[in-house]
Amino acid sequence: MKRNAGVLLPISSLPSKYGIGCFSKSAYDFVDWLEQAGQTYWQILPLGAVDHKNSWDSPYQAYSAFAGNPYFISLEVLIDEGLLTEEACRETDFGKTADQIDYEKLSAHRLSLLHRAYEQSNISLDAGYQKFVQQNHWWLEDYALFMAVKEFFGGAPWMQWPEDIRMHWGYALDYYRRTLYFDVEFHKFLQYKFWIQWKKLKKYANKHHVRIIGDIPIYVSLDSADVWSHPELFQLDEKNHPIQVAGCPPDAFAPDGQLWGNPLYRWDSMEQTGYEWWMTRIWYSFELYDSVRIDHFRGFDEYYAIGAEERSARHGHWEKGPGMKLFYTIRERLGEKSVIAEDLGYRTDSVRRMVEESGFPNMKVLQFAFQASDKYGANEYLPHNFQPNCVVYTGTHDNETLLGWFYSQDAETKQMVRSYLDDFKTPDKDIPKKLINLVMGSCSKTCIIPIQDYLKLDNQARINHPGTVGENWCWRLKPEQLRRDLAEQVRDLTMRYGRMNEDIIAAQR
């Protein structure tokens, strides 16, 4: 089993002149940095289209399971294509802080720039565009209309639209397609530009021997084109209102549980179609990525269902999911796929069996390893308890940075960490390096490190704080932080623990 390593960095967190990381030169520079560092993987977060007002910028609450985020379209590329001017981009206020995303200003200004690019294009004469629309009509038509109608009604969720279009009735669809023709075409244009730019970046990464790990949420947002256009796949009533929604039960960290609000699937209906929607989603994900991390994997075994009328998750209950039937179908229809099972949190014996039977590597997060109740080394997240078929992280996008985490621990936990490292002298600020060495030296096949941990950044560089809204998904790298000497340090570490990308080694001989 080949050992390998990678770095976790969302597209949005790349450096950029125009407010948010995107498919610009900085993305290509980061691929070069990964190649120099001998890495095999670049792990990103979901690429879906999100909204500041209704989803608080969370990539896990996208408007579509298939559409891409227009914010990731490179304005520099549009300038090179003659669709925008550098002056227009420079004069647009995207925020003044280089290491933070200002979603309010992005929401106010970036789409208007993209619309200007659309107006300057002769997109209807572009043969590549026509081919893209034809090949993707099965999701693109509904998505583009969904976005145009949403804008027509002032951004209101589709559940608040007039009944005829809310219920996806045919005559209403025809009416709004005619009335909003150019708005619909604009959103098709955005998806075409997203697709072209992303495929070019992925091709560049693969040419430089770097593979992309994508991320797909198990659920889709209630306010999404998927639920609006395919209500029969979700637990909705005859008026297309949700019956039950997703979340997780109360625990020590959330006394009321977590009420996510995503509509739950009608797994019985999906089974009758041979899980066609999921087959399409998985197939399409591998058109975008080389490997896929599936979020909340345990939801396929059992999922927590909460009545849609509830205001907390206290009164939910567990229901059975499709289990291995879904993954047997994927294997039969699509073949063996490179999937990472995100099985974090409370794991039952049936979840463990499903993960084992799937053959997918599961996840280990080092920050979960040091609990006061686990003084005798029994915690499954301690490296000596790993099995090789797993992916180990120092932390994920939902965790504190490694330095921030260590700083925030009490004296007893810090003592546990130092005892496990057999190191009582290293200053606190240098403990992240020791912990990275620990997981890189473990038996896990794959080791993924967030870039913040290599940079020894504190919690000001944290990506997301689960259960909160308004200040997440904002952190960005500064260009000067991706130093050549850091790449060389990461390369030396990767080489030391036998995780070097063999294709990079072969290409450099």
Side-chain angles (χ1 to χ4, degrees):
M1 183 180 289
K2 293 181 180 178
R3 290 160 59 81
N4 48 60
V7 173
L8 171 60
L9 178 67
I11 296 292
S12 59
S13 294
L14 287 163
S16 166
K17 292 193 294 184
Y18 301 126
I20 190 170
C22 60
F23 307 144
S24 62
K25 183 177 181 297
S26 293
Y28 292 82
D29 290 343
F30 185 63
V31 170
D32 294 341
W33 187 92
L34 290 169
E35 182 183 29
Q36 183 185 353
Q39 302 300 285
T40 301
Y41 292 113
W42 176 8
Q43 181 167 336
I44 60 176
L45 297 186
L47 292 176
V50 298
D51 176 72
H52 180 68
K53 179 180 178 183
N54 295 320
S55 66
W56 291 105
D57 320 306
S58 170
Y60 294 90
Q61 294 286 350
Y63 283 141
S64 168
F66 304 99
N69 190 339
Y71 287 169
F72 295 159
I73 296 171
S74 170
L75 301 185
E76 291 98 317
V77 172
L78 298 183
I79 292 170
D80 291 342
E81 293 174 347
L83 301 181
L84 287 176
T85 66
E86 190 170 352
E87 181 182 15
C89 295
R90 186 174 60 247
E91 291 178 351
T92 301
D93 183 6
F94 295 112
K96 304 303 181 186
T97 307
D99 62 350
Q100 291 289 305
I101 300 167
D102 188 330
Y103 285 103
E104 289 279 1
K105 291 181 177 177
L106 280 178
S107 179
H109 303 305
R110 196 173 183 100
L111 279 182
S112 62
L113 272 178
L114 293 171
H115 204 283
R116 190 181 306 183
Y118 164 66
E119 292 170 346
Q120 290 296 315
S121 72
N122 291 315
I123 197 65
S124 61
L125 303 179
D126 187 328
Y129 170 74
Q130 298 297 341
K131 181 178 180 181
F132 171 79
V133 170
Q134 182 180 15
Q135 291 180 337
N136 292 276
H137 70 91
W138 50 272
W139 67 267
L140 184 60
E141 294 296 334
D142 274 321
Y143 169 77
L145 179 60
F146 172 87
M147 295 302 296
V149 174
K150 173 177 278 292
E151 290 167 2
F152 181 76
F153 288 114
W158 68 264
M159 300 79 73
Q160 298 174 14
W161 297 351
E163 184 181 29
D164 56 354
I165 190 64
R166 177 173 61 81
M167 295 295 289
H168 206 257
W169 291 343
Y171 76 86
L173 299 179
D174 291 340
Y175 169 78
Y176 283 102
R177 284 193 187 107
R178 290 193 304 270
T179 304
L180 304 175
Y181 174 81
F182 290 105
D183 300 304
V184 172
E185 290 298 301
F186 169 56
H187 286 285
K188 292 180 183 179
F189 165 83
L190 293 181
Q191 291 306 307
Y192 175 61
K193 289 298 181 182
F194 173 93
W195 174 264
I196 292 297
Q197 291 189 15
W198 169 247
K199 294 294 281 187
K200 183 178 179 181
L201 175 59
K202 181 180 179 295
K203 183 178 180 181
Y204 183 86
N206 291 166
K207 181 180 177 181
H208 289 259
H209 316 292
V210 174
R211 297 171 62 81
I212 306 293
I213 300 177
D215 191 324
I216 62 172
I218 182 174
Y219 297 121
V220 298
S221 172
L222 175 59
D223 189 22
S224 68
D226 310 284
V227 182
W228 172 64
S229 60
H230 295 288
E232 73 280 2
L233 299 179
F234 302 90
Q235 294 188 25
L236 308 180
D237 64 18
E238 67 278 0
K239 295 294 185 181
N240 287 354
H241 298 136
I243 300 169
Q244 297 189 123
V245 296
C248 61
D251 57 25
F253 299 100
D256 290 327
Q258 295 182 39
L259 182 60
W260 300 335
N262 306 78
L264 294 169
Y265 298 111
R266 291 188 184 273
W267 285 115
D268 54 349
S269 299
M270 286 190 163
E271 184 177 6
Q272 292 172 9
T273 68
Y275 302 108
E276 189 63 35
W277 187 86
W278 267 99
M279 295 305 104
T280 304
R281 189 182 188 192
I282 295 296
W283 164 79
Y284 193 76
S285 295
F286 282 94
E287 291 291 297
L288 294 171
Y289 316 118
D290 299 301
S291 299
V292 170
R293 170 192 180 271
I294 300 181
D295 191 57
H296 195 58
F297 195 77
R298 76 151 300 174
F300 295 108
D301 176 56
E302 289 182 313
Y303 57 88
Y304 195 66
I306 307 160
E309 74 285 353
E310 297 287 343
R311 293 295 172 261
S312 80
R314 283 184 172 274
H315 303 296
H317 62 279
W318 292 100
E319 294 187 0
K320 289 298 294 182
M324 280 302 299
K325 288 187 292 186
L326 173 64
F327 297 103
Y328 287 146
T329 306
I330 290 173
R331 190 173 296 160
E332 179 182 339
R333 294 274 302 276
L334 304 177
E336 295 290 341
K337 293 297 181 184
S338 177
V339 170
I340 298 171
E342 189 276 290
D343 61 340
L344 304 176
Y346 180 68
R347 296 187 0 167
T348 62
D349 289 340
S350 58
V351 172
R352 289 186 176 91
R353 286 193 299 270
M354 185 178 72
V355 172
E356 183 175 354
E357 193 171 351
S358 73
F360 302 146
N362 65 339
M363 288 178 55
K364 305 292 184 184
V365 176
L366 187 64
Q367 289 184 30
F368 298 159
F370 301 99
Q371 307 291 333
S373 58
D374 297 318
K375 294 183 179 179
Y376 299 101
N379 189 302
E380 65 181 296
Y381 296 108
L382 285 168
H384 70 264
N385 290 323
F386 293 175
Q387 38 76 30
N389 190 33
C390 71
V391 183
V392 61
Y393 299 75
T394 47
T396 73
H397 61 277
D398 282 335
N399 295 106
E400 300 174 84
T401 67
L402 198 54
L403 182 62
W405 170 80
F406 191 71
Y407 278 163
S408 70
Q409 300 308 301
D410 57 28
E412 183 180 11
T413 304
K414 287 183 176 180
Q415 183 73 6
M416 288 178 64
V417 173
R418 290 185 176 279
S419 179
Y420 194 79
L421 292 171
D422 194 22
D423 185 338
F424 299 94
K425 296 180 180 180
T426 297
D428 283 4
K429 65 182 179 64
D430 294 324
I431 286 294
K433 182 177 181 181
K434 299 287 185 177
L435 292 172
I436 290 171
N437 286 353
L438 185 66
V439 295
M440 288 288 278
S442 73
C443 71
S444 66
K445 175 185 176 182
T446 302
C447 180
I448 306 290
I449 308 295
I451 191 67
Q452 300 98 307
D453 292 347
Y454 278 131
L455 290 167
K456 295 193 290 187
L457 301 179
D458 63 21
N459 279 339
Q460 289 185 340
R462 183 172 183 170
I463 298 291
N464 181 45
H465 194 297
T468 68
V469 295
E471 297 183 354
N472 297 316
W473 319 107
C474 293
W475 175 77
R476 279 197 297 161
L477 271 172
K478 297 178 181 178
E480 63 269 19
Q481 288 177 308
L482 280 179
R483 306 184 313 273
R484 181 180 181 87
D485 66 301
L486 179 63
E488 292 172 351
Q489 292 169 25
V490 173
R491 183 187 180 94
D492 289 345
L493 183 68
T494 305
M495 183 78 76
R496 181 189 314 156
Y497 291 110
R499 296 186 179 275
M500 273 291 293
N501 185 324
E502 294 182 359
D503 292 329
I504 291 176
I505 294 175
Q508 294 174 346
R509 283 175 181 156

